[in-house]
Amino acid sequence: MPLGPWRKKNKSTKEQLVDNEEVSGGQAGAGSLGKSAVNGAGLPPPPANLRPKLVFHTQLAHGSPTGRIEGFGNVKELYAKIAEAFNISAPEILFCTLNTHKIDMDKLLGGQIGLEDFIFAHIKGIKKEVEVYKSEEALGLTITDNGVGYAFIKRIKEGSVVDGVKVICVGDHIESINGSNIVGTRHYEVARMLKELPKDKSFTLKLVEPMKAFEMLEPRSKGAKPATDNKIGTGRGTLRLRSKGPATVEEEPTEFEEKAVKKVDDLLESYMGIRDTELAATMVEVGRDKKNPDEFAMALDETLGDFAFPDEFVFDVWGAIGDAKQGRF
């Protein structure tokens, strides 16, 4: 079936993420993504209540004692566990970074958590309202979200419209656009709203910046580079969070996966104005064994029905996955 208008949209949410489980008798390797893990004897994993729980250490990024969290089954529950550890409200958490208290978008908690990773939670700080004059079609923003309804700024392009508004910073949560509350709106929809704002007119953003300790205050950051060559996690394995199905404990990503995810994430930013390593990893997994772009496009719609991808984007992603398989990166 050809690419084009036949492609449907279904509802799915990032909040339906994961079951948190540890695989008995070994780890699911990179080549077994998407398959049910089994133990060394080839038997199904034990019931959830008999499996060892993964325990992670966490702090509030602006400073706090260290807490321990375990037993979360999705991103929403992860935030709830962190909130419980520090006696705060879960909606106060904007996003989390791994192994750094800094607002480092290269270390953003996404689809994978290393088994020895330390989780830093960034909570709401100062609110601000900013008027921006859209002098160009492109604002120079890259948007992502935290998986539970908060879209925030991941990158600001140097020399762009938004770069000239110095009070807007990487890590700022976008709470409303022109008075319309967008909490609960996915990042790709927020990117579309900003792109569709009329040129040569002003618009208003209400933003919430992450809380910072006094010693953490630094010059305004442009955020992450388009991609990072660093592997996620310091442990031997990672907890892979999935949009559908259970979480799995896996070995570190292969060179193919790292290169393919990096390229697909770059394409997401180029075509849609978003960066999302979890989404990129899911697309690489979906395309791993597909024979042609049409088969790949159909599989994307089945897996990610709430996204409407341009046909040319699907072709480019298919090509990027093929290049990674052939080692052409």
Side-chain angles (χ1 to χ4, degrees):
M1 187 177 293
L3 294 168
W6 60 268
R7 295 167 63 202
K8 62 183 184 300
K9 292 179 70 177
N10 299 316
K11 280 289 180 184
S12 64
T13 68
K14 202 170 183 178
E15 290 184 12
Q16 298 171 336
L17 265 177
V18 300
D19 293 327
N20 184 5
E21 63 178 354
E22 187 166 27
V23 181
S24 298
Q27 298 171 338
S32 61
L33 295 176
K35 298 181 180 178
S36 298
V38 297
N39 61 23
L43 300 174
N49 61 341
L50 297 180
R51 299 173 198 164
K53 291 184 177 180
L54 301 178
V55 178
F56 295 90
H57 291 85
T58 182
Q59 287 183 355
L60 300 180
H62 66 281
S64 76
T66 299
R68 288 162 54 93
I69 57 172
E70 60 180 299
F72 53 89
N74 54 45
V75 168
K76 188 174 183 179
E77 291 178 6
L78 167 62
Y79 282 27
K81 291 288 185 180
I82 294 173
E84 182 181 353
F86 298 110
N87 196 28
I88 61 175
S89 171
E92 289 297 302
I93 301 173
L94 291 178
F95 57 85
C96 296
T97 50
L98 300 177
N99 306 314
T100 180
H101 65 281
K102 297 181 180 180
I103 303 171
D104 184 345
M105 295 292 109
D106 280 340
K107 303 298 176 62
L108 195 67
L109 187 154
Q112 292 178 326
I113 306 174
L115 300 187
E116 296 181 10
D117 277 343
F118 201 109
I119 302 172
F120 288 88
H122 299 254
I123 69 172
K124 290 181 178 179
I126 297 172
K127 291 191 174 185
K128 50 197 179 185
E129 185 170 320
V130 186
E131 186 172 288
V132 181
Y133 181 74
K134 190 176 182 181
S135 58
E136 304 288 342
E137 291 290 347
L139 291 169
L141 285 179
T142 298
I143 308 298
T144 190
D145 69 31
N146 68 351
V148 291
Y150 290 169
F152 57 94
I153 298 170
K154 190 166 186 179
R155 284 213 316 135
I156 298 174
K157 185 178 179 180
E158 189 170 359
S160 65
V161 171
V162 170
D163 190 35
V165 186
K166 299 304 179 184
V167 295
I168 301 177
C169 300
V170 165
D172 285 356
H173 160 49
I174 304 175
E175 191 174 65
S176 75
I177 301 173
N178 281 336
S180 297
N181 190 302
I182 61 166
V183 174
T185 305
R186 291 299 307 272
H187 53 334
Y188 56 90
E189 291 291 346
V190 176
R192 180 186 58 79
M193 291 181 203
L194 293 170
K195 187 176 294 186
E196 291 177 353
L197 290 169
K199 185 183 173 184
D200 297 324
K201 289 189 178 181
S202 296
F203 64 94
T204 302
L205 293 176
K206 285 187 178 179
L207 306 168
V208 183
E209 68 178 41
M211 186 176 291
K212 304 179 183 72
F214 179 78
E215 63 271 15
M216 287 171 59
L217 297 178
E218 300 172 348
R220 181 171 180 260
S221 171
K222 297 297 184 297
K225 296 179 180 179
T228 175
D229 292 329
N230 295 328
K231 293 184 178 180
I232 301 174
T234 58
R236 292 170 53 193
T238 61
L239 178 67
R240 171 75 189 278
L241 307 181
R242 299 175 184 277
S243 298
K244 295 183 180 179
T248 54
V249 178
E250 301 170 357
E251 295 177 356
E252 288 185 344
T254 64
E255 185 179 6
F256 154 72
E257 290 170 327
E258 287 188 331
K259 290 180 177 180
V261 169
K262 172 182 178 295
K263 181 60 177 178
V264 173
D265 204 20
D266 290 346
L267 290 170
L268 281 169
E269 181 173 23
S270 176
Y271 278 93
M272 302 180 68
I274 65 173
R275 291 194 77 86
D276 189 329
T277 54
E278 180 193 345
L279 175 59
T282 298
M283 296 180 78
V284 170
E285 182 178 337
V286 167
R288 178 188 294 273
D289 59 351
K290 300 302 178 289
K291 297 182 175 70
N292 56 63
D294 287 326
E295 186 179 332
F296 176 51
M298 293 177 68
L300 283 181
D301 279 337
E302 290 174 3
T303 306
L304 303 166
D306 56 346
F307 285 83
F309 297 113
D311 290 346
E312 56 271 26
F313 170 78
V314 175
F315 278 115
D316 283 351
V317 170
W318 170 255
I321 294 172
D323 286 344
K325 288 179 180 178
Q326 300 298 321
R328 290 196 288 264
F329 287 153

